Amino acid sequence: GKTTTSINVAAALAEDGARVLLVDADLRHPSVAHHLGLEGSAGLAHVLSGQMSPKDVVQNYWKPTLHILPAGKRPANAGVLLGSDTMRIMVEQALTQYDYVIIDTAPLSVSNDGIVFGRWAKGLVLVTGRGVCEKKELKEISESLHTAKVPVLGFIFNYADSKKTHSKSNYYYYYEDAPRKKSHKK
C-alpha cells in the first residue's frame, strides 16, 4: 500500500494546485511507473549513477503540476546510490522547484533507505497494513526509527478490520482488544 498511498497523496496535492514530484526510490522493486502506465526504463538510478540528468527522466503525469521520477533499471548498489551526496543534493534542489517531494522507498523491513530519507526530511510517514506487517516487525521498525532519531510524522494503516473500530470515533485499535469499559461497583 505504500506506493498506492504515495501516488494518491501526490495526485491529491497536485489536484489542489501544488507542484509535486513523486520519486520512485524503491530501486530494489520499482513500481510507480508500472502503476501509472509510464515508461520506467530510465530514471533515478540513471541520474544517481551520472548517466542522465533529472530533466531527461522526469515525466509529467495527469496534471501539469504532477511530475514523476521513475526508478529506472534496478542497480546492484541501490543502498549506496540512495545514500549518496548526489541523491541528497537532488532532493534539496527538487525542494526548491516543487511544493512537495514525495519519495516512495523500499519497505523498512527490507532496507534502511526510508531512515536515510527520514533524516533528510526530518521525519517520515509510515504506511503499513493489517496482515502485511506483523506487530513484532512494526515494533522493531519503530525502535529503529527512534534510535535513528527519525520522527514518524504520520501513520497510515491499510486493510483495517472495521469490527475493531470504536463506534463513536472510528479510531482503529492496533492491539488485540479495545480498551475495556470500567465497571463501577456500588
Side-chain angles (χ1 to χ4, degrees):
K2 67 179 184 56
T3 300
T4 302
T5 299
S6 298
I7 291 169
N8 287 336
V9 168
L13 291 167
E15 187 169 27
D16 199 37
R19 295 169 299 151
V20 182
L21 175 64
L22 172 58
V23 179
D24 189 350
D26 187 348
L27 297 182
R28 292 164 185 83
H29 187 70
S31 60
V32 171
H34 174 75
H35 275 70
L36 298 176
L38 297 172
E39 171 56 43
S41 61
L44 180 61
H46 297 87
V47 173
L48 297 177
S49 61
Q51 298 171 12
M52 299 178 139
S53 72
K55 66 179 172 122
D56 296 328
V57 293
V58 170
Q59 300 176 48
N60 184 256
Y61 179 76
W62 181 59
K63 294 277 184 185
T65 58
L66 178 56
H67 295 116
I68 311 297
L69 176 53
K73 298 215 178 196
R74 296 179 193 176
N77 57 346
V80 172
L81 291 174
L82 292 170
S84 69
D85 284 338
T86 304
M87 181 70 197
R88 184 183 49 76
I89 291 166
M90 190 190 76
V91 170
E92 287 172 359
Q93 289 176 344
L95 287 169
T96 66
Q97 298 173 323
Y98 294 93
D99 300 314
Y100 297 94
V101 176
I102 298 173
I103 303 172
D104 183 31
T105 68
L108 287 169
S109 59
V110 173
S111 77
N112 71 343
D113 301 338
I115 291 175
V116 171
F117 291 116
R119 281 185 186 138
W120 294 345
K122 298 183 181 40
L124 55 75
V125 175
L126 188 61
V127 179
T128 189
R130 178 177 176 262
V132 177
C133 182
E134 295 188 13
K135 290 179 188 178
K136 179 183 175 187
E137 185 179 29
L138 188 57
K139 183 177 180 183
E140 290 169 0
I141 288 167
S142 176
E143 289 169 357
S144 295
L145 291 168
H146 179 74
T147 300
K149 296 184 171 113
V150 175
V152 176
L153 304 174
F155 183 82
I156 298 171
F157 189 69
N158 290 317
Y159 316 117
D161 183 352
S162 62
K163 295 175 192 161
K164 289 188 176 184
T165 60
H166 187 275
S167 62
K168 292 181 183 176
S169 65
N170 290 327
Y171 287 111
Y172 184 81
Y173 291 105
Y174 176 73
Y175 296 102
E176 288 299 320
D177 297 312
R180 305 210 190 280
K181 292 182 180 176
K182 293 180 183 179
S183 61
H184 298 286
K185 295 182 182 180
K186 294 185 180 184

